[in-house]
Amino acid sequence: MLKNEAVEDDQSLVALSTGQRRGIEIANALPVRLQTLDIARHVAIAPDGKRYVVATFDDIRMDRDYITAVYPQQNGYLTLLRLVIYEFSSETPEEAAQKHIACTQAIQRGKLQAFAQSQQG
């Protein structure tokens, strides 16, 4: 198996570090350098080979709580920020971290659309 190849795996390693910055490890998801307000950022690979960037960040200053956004990955890490596929809101950083993990795992299982529908409410 290639190092960057994603497989369907129910076991994920979740580790929230202490302090204001959080790091989340997810099995078979490629970590990406965190940006200033990020809680977590990963590249998730769907079973069909499509790659998505899942970014969870603090958007409280814009009155939007914590946001988990899914972008298509193109040309390595380059993404078109205006092409947000899905965006989910959370009230707490802990809820946002759990949503980030669930979203990333849904992509890895090829169930992103079902996950998005379950988040509508």
Side-chain angles (χ1 to χ4, degrees):
M1 177 174 23
L2 297 174
K3 183 177 180 181
N4 292 341
E5 187 176 331
V7 294
E8 217 170 297
D9 189 351
D10 289 331
Q11 297 178 357
S12 65
L13 303 173
V14 180
L16 293 178
S17 60
T18 59
Q20 197 148 10
R21 300 282 300 206
R22 289 177 167 74
I24 298 173
E25 293 182 28
I26 303 172
N28 304 310
L30 308 171
V32 180
R33 174 184 251 171
L34 295 177
Q35 297 181 10
T36 303
L37 299 176
D38 282 356
I39 292 173
R41 189 172 292 254
H42 289 87
V43 172
I45 305 168
D48 63 4
K50 291 184 181 177
R51 292 174 175 243
Y52 300 91
V53 175
V54 180
T56 300
F57 52 91
D58 176 349
D59 210 20
I60 291 176
R61 290 180 183 92
M62 299 299 288
D63 293 325
R64 296 188 340 147
D65 296 325
Y66 295 88
I67 301 296
T68 298
V70 180
Y71 307 96
Q73 183 185 29
Q74 301 170 340
N75 302 322
Y77 177 58
L78 300 177
T79 61
L80 300 174
L81 296 180
R82 300 276 184 211
L83 292 179
V84 176
I85 298 171
Y86 293 108
E87 198 169 79
F88 312 106
S89 181
S90 303
E91 292 182 8
T92 66
E94 292 79 15
E95 180 186 340
Q98 290 304 314
K99 197 167 286 187
H100 180 93
I101 293 165
C103 182
T104 302
Q105 291 175 338
I107 291 169
Q108 291 173 330
R109 292 185 180 105
K111 306 226 182 265
L112 177 58
Q113 188 172 10
F115 175 79
Q117 289 174 350
S118 74
Q119 297 301 306
Q120 294 177 352

